[in-house]
Amino acid sequence: MLTYIKKNKFQNIILLLIIITNMALYVYGNYLKVNLVNALMKSNISKGLFWFLLSLIIFLIMMIIRKIEVVQTEKTTQTQLNLIRKDILKNLTSLTYQEFSKESKDQYNSWLNNDTKLLYDNGFHQIYFVYTGIVAMLFSGIAIIFFHWVLLLTTLLVGALLFYFPKMFKQSVERDTEQVSELANDALATSTDYLRGYEVLYHNKQLGLMQERTMGKFNQLATANVKLIFTRAWMQYSLLGTSMLGQFLILAVAGFLIMNGQIGIGVVMSVGNLSGTVTNYSKSVANSLILLNATGKLLEKYGKITD
């Protein structure tokens, strides 16, 4: 997939700059909460109002940038999906008749439709989520170190644990993703064959066979999809539980530093949000990388058309 991102370099650079701007504003907005809380604790209403209004302005700007980001992500993704379709068609049109006949027409059609749907959901969108996560963690880490280096060290340790935890699910996700792709191809081929033979089935009073065989394939596909979602859900909720324990540890460290007078109490809110950003994106980025690796394998078969 990175090959197609490189081919579409300009749109991706624009998207990356939008993501960086949005995440920088998000982290800065959270950093300002320290000033807001400290001003309120000192009963300084004018300063408290100033920091509140500044935070509100940043939030409104973020909303606008977020809308631009969503549109640019979709535009960039669709461009890359069409580049993949173009390469598939280019390979197909360069085959001899014998080479073309090695796979069914329905198989080729499924590559252009079913597989690109998987590449859309579990491929390019996951790549841009990883971009966002890396930028968010980087900026959040820089902000946290200004509060106290122990807080950053604790956050990084929790983040590292959450990042490597999903690797135990890697093979299961890859296997289930490949199975969904294969069964989707099979279901499309079966339904197409029976619809093409409708007249023959009708005259021989065998329409029930069309329903039985076609629904059998779609039921298998539905079961495979449920299995993939179950595997992903098990991975995500296991990560969620670990993430919550990590958050408790970070807040406990922050509480210890407050009791020892090394940080102010106003830091707690910002540290909670920023460390949460690091830990949440750590597990989510790891999850996305697993999906990316599994989905990226779909591209391998397009290059094997002539094998």
Side-chain angles (χ1 to χ4, degrees), residues 174-188:
E174 288 180 358
R175 182 191 63 239
D176 292 348
T177 300
E178 184 177 358
Q179 187 178 31
V180 167
S181 175
E182 291 175 353
L183 289 173
N185 294 343
D186 196 18
L188 179 63

Side-chain angles (χ1 to χ4, degrees), residues 23 26-27 131-141 277-278 281:
M23 286 297 102
Y26 170 77
V27 171
Y131 282 175
T132 304
I134 291 172
V135 173
M137 288 188 289
L138 177 63
F139 286 165
S140 296
T277 298
V278 174
Y281 271 115

